[in-house]
Amino acid sequence: MIGLTGGIACGKSTVLEIFAKNGWKAISTDQLAGEILASDKQVASLLTERWGPSVFEERGIVDKKQIAEIVFNRPRERSWLESILHPLVRAAWQTKIEKSENSLFVVEIPLLFENDLQSHFAHVISLFASREVQVARLLDRGLGFEQAEGRIDAQLPTDKKAELADSILLGSGSPEFLERQVLYFLKSFTSKPKPQ
């Protein structure tokens, strides 16, 4: 089982798609967190209690932009939300693995090192891109400069994640370049002899 991490806007989602195209069961913890926020009534109740009804859209759907504004500007609020979501997300991806017949898993966890989860994985890959590239991509996604900086600063720096990982992929180039790196990794990883 592989853990996939890296900084925001470094290409993790693209790498996850490439793994999936090559027969791996690919799990995104961001997607799982989104599903929990959208469907878990107990979580919705806690959010209302803490932040009021303004974090929900008219149809009762969680307003992710509104929540992002709160948590990326107030570290204490981010810690509170993570303390609720992270255990639920971890249980969700572990259940998916237990129920799947696939033997090849890759789990994308942006805060893998921050939450000390590396022991769950046989191998950890980290995506690396320079801060300039991260900021430029976040601006392209519609964030303001200060928002982009805040989101990058909410995680370990990409060079620190790279130091802690077993393998590093460079996420600052084209999707094609990223795909070549993943395919090279898969070729060498799956051809390694299995430990006795």
Side-chain angles (χ1 to χ4, degrees), residues 14-166:
T14 303
V15 169
L16 208 60
E17 284 170 23
I18 299 164
F19 267 93
K21 270 194 326 194
N22 285 277
W24 286 63
K25 174 74 176 166
I27 299 170
S28 162
T29 57
D30 274 351
Q31 189 182 330
L32 292 174
E35 288 167 10
I36 289 164
L37 281 171
S39 64
D40 190 307
K41 295 203 174 349
Q42 199 175 354
V43 170
S45 167
L46 290 167
L47 296 181
T48 308
E49 221 174 90
R50 181 97 174 179
W51 297 325
S54 66
V55 293
F56 293 88
E57 294 171 5
E58 281 175 26
R59 291 169 297 155
I61 300 163
V62 170
D63 185 339
K64 287 188 197 165
K65 276 189 174 175
Q66 183 71 26
I67 287 178
E69 277 298 306
I70 294 168
V71 300
F72 285 107
N73 290 316
R74 291 147 66 189
R76 201 169 137 208
E77 297 304 307
R78 186 171 71 245
S79 296
W80 175 79
L81 183 61
E82 287 173 354
S83 74
I84 290 163
L85 283 183
H86 287 177
L88 297 172
V89 169
R90 194 173 313 160
W93 63 256
Q94 287 173 334
T95 301
K96 274 184 182 287
I97 288 166
E98 285 161 18
K99 288 185 175 174
S100 175
E101 290 176 16
N102 201 327
S103 60
L104 298 170
F105 295 99
V106 57
V107 185
E108 176 212 4
I109 305 177
L111 301 178
L112 188 147
F113 291 122
E114 290 87 336
N115 290 312
D116 202 22
L117 296 173
Q118 52 271 46
S119 63
H120 289 271
F121 302 96
H123 197 93
V124 175
I125 299 172
S126 188
L127 269 288
F128 177 85
S130 68
R131 190 179 181 95
E132 291 72 25
V133 166
Q134 287 179 281
V135 168
R137 286 178 179 169
L138 291 172
L139 295 178
D140 284 346
R141 291 180 192 177
L143 268 65
F145 184 77
E146 277 184 25
Q147 288 175 309
E149 292 268 313
R151 295 199 186 183
I152 293 166
D153 289 338
Q155 300 182 346
L156 272 180
T158 51
D159 55 350
K160 182 67 180 163
K161 291 190 183 204
E163 280 173 32
L164 295 167
D166 299 304

Side-chain angles (χ1 to χ4, degrees), residues 175-190:
E176 294 75 22
F177 175 57
L178 199 47
E179 183 159 23
R180 286 200 302 275
Q181 294 176 75
V182 175
L183 294 177
Y184 181 81
F185 168 81
L186 287 175
K187 196 174 165 188
S188 59
F189 185 77
T190 51

